[in-house]
Each structure stands twice: as C-alpha cells, then as structure tokens.
Amino acid sequence: MKEPPWLEPPALEVVGLILASHQAAFGRPLVAGTDPHRNLRLAAQEVFAVDQAVLAHDGSEDPRLIYANAAAIQLWRRPWAEMIGLPSRMTAEPLVRKERAQALALAQLKEALEGYGGIRIDRFGHRFQIRGARIWTLRDRQSEARGQGACFSTWWRI
C-alpha cells in the first residue's frame, strides 16, 4: 500500500524543519507533546491531523508551498497535490498580496512573527479571515534558511 504523500520522505523532512524551526523561533513546540527526534513519522501524523492550519513554503524568489496539513487543505479547499507546488502568494487575493509579502519579510527579518492576521482566498474564490498566525523562518541543521512556516487556529469565512 502506498504511503499518503504527507508521510513520504520529502514531506517528513519538511515536517522536521517545521517542528525544529518553530521550537527555535518561539521556544515551544508547534504541537504539544510532539518529539520529532523520537519518531518523525508519528510527529508528521500529529502535525497533519492537528486542529490548526500548518503550511510552509520554500525559499525561492516566488515561494511555493512545500507543506500543508489537513486543516490547511480543507480551508483552502485544495487536495495535497494542488497545494504542494502552488505559489504561496496564490493563497491570498491580489489586493492583499503586498500586505502579506510585507508580513513575510518582517517575519524573515525577525526570524519569527506572532499575531498576524489577514484575508485569504480558497480555490473557489471564497474569502476567509485568519487571526493570530505565527510565521517563522525554516532553518536546516546548518542554520541555512529554507523557507518559512506558518500556523494559525483562528479563521472564519467571510
């Protein structure tokens, strides 16, 4: 039986980056009780199933999503295969992309940002508001920036 895509090696690597970088940025785990050093596969299952949206994009000039958990997939109404590789700017409608880019730049400059909010748009053009988001830099073991992660647990459709 084939593994779900969020449990395949590339996704497991990203989850490890997400968890370690979140811990470094905020001094607390992304998901309480999750220890990726003990069992990354179990940690990946917990992150995928947690009741907050968790996303990450790479560090390219036009960043593309490299991770989205079940809550994010449901919220943006896109399957994994459509979320992964999507330019992350496409998660927001054109009118708010500049504001979103400014928040991402500030988070990159400071390594982390808490309390972000904004309007996002799903696959069908329906808008929703997010509040209380955390954004942080994903760093590998050599401290090289590999992108950014984000999570939030408060949202509503508008």
Side-chain angles (χ1 to χ4, degrees):
M1 179 165 27
K2 187 173 179 190
E3 290 279 16
W6 54 89
L7 292 177
E8 291 179 355
L12 291 176
E13 179 184 343
V14 172
V15 168
L17 281 174
I18 289 170
L19 293 172
S21 298
H22 183 279
Q23 178 71 41
F26 297 106
R28 64 184 188 268
L30 175 64
V31 179
T34 300
D35 183 359
H37 302 293
R38 197 180 77 227
N39 187 333
L40 184 55
R41 183 180 166 80
L42 179 58
Q45 290 172 319
E46 291 171 344
V47 171
F48 191 77
V50 73
D51 63 351
Q52 62 180 315
V54 179
L55 302 109
H57 65 221
D58 65 18
S60 63
E61 190 171 319
D62 186 13
R64 296 186 174 272
L65 293 175
I66 56 174
Y67 184 81
N69 75 344
I73 287 169
Q74 182 178 11
L75 191 54
W76 270 275
R77 298 179 182 177
R78 291 180 185 271
W80 173 274
E82 286 184 24
M83 286 292 282
I84 304 310
L86 181 74
S88 66
R89 64 181 155 73
M90 301 299 289
T91 63
E93 53 188 353
L95 293 175
V96 299
R97 287 182 188 159
K98 183 177 179 181
E99 173 192 317
R100 176 188 168 276
Q102 290 171 336
L104 292 172
L106 180 60
Q108 187 173 25
L109 181 67
K110 297 172 77 175
E111 287 292 311
L113 178 71
E114 282 192 90
Y116 174 75
I119 304 291
R120 295 294 174 267
I121 189 168
D122 72 16
R123 173 185 188 186
F124 302 107
H126 300 121
R127 300 165 75 224
F128 58 95
Q129 175 81 42
I130 66 171
R131 287 275 189 236
R134 293 187 303 274
I135 305 168
W136 65 97
T137 300
L138 300 178
R139 294 209 172 268
D140 63 19
R141 291 183 181 167
Q142 292 75 39
S143 295
E144 294 292 322
R146 298 267 312 270
Q148 290 179 300
C151 67
F152 55 91
S153 57
T154 303
W155 66 83
W156 61 91
R157 303 259 175 211
I158 50 177

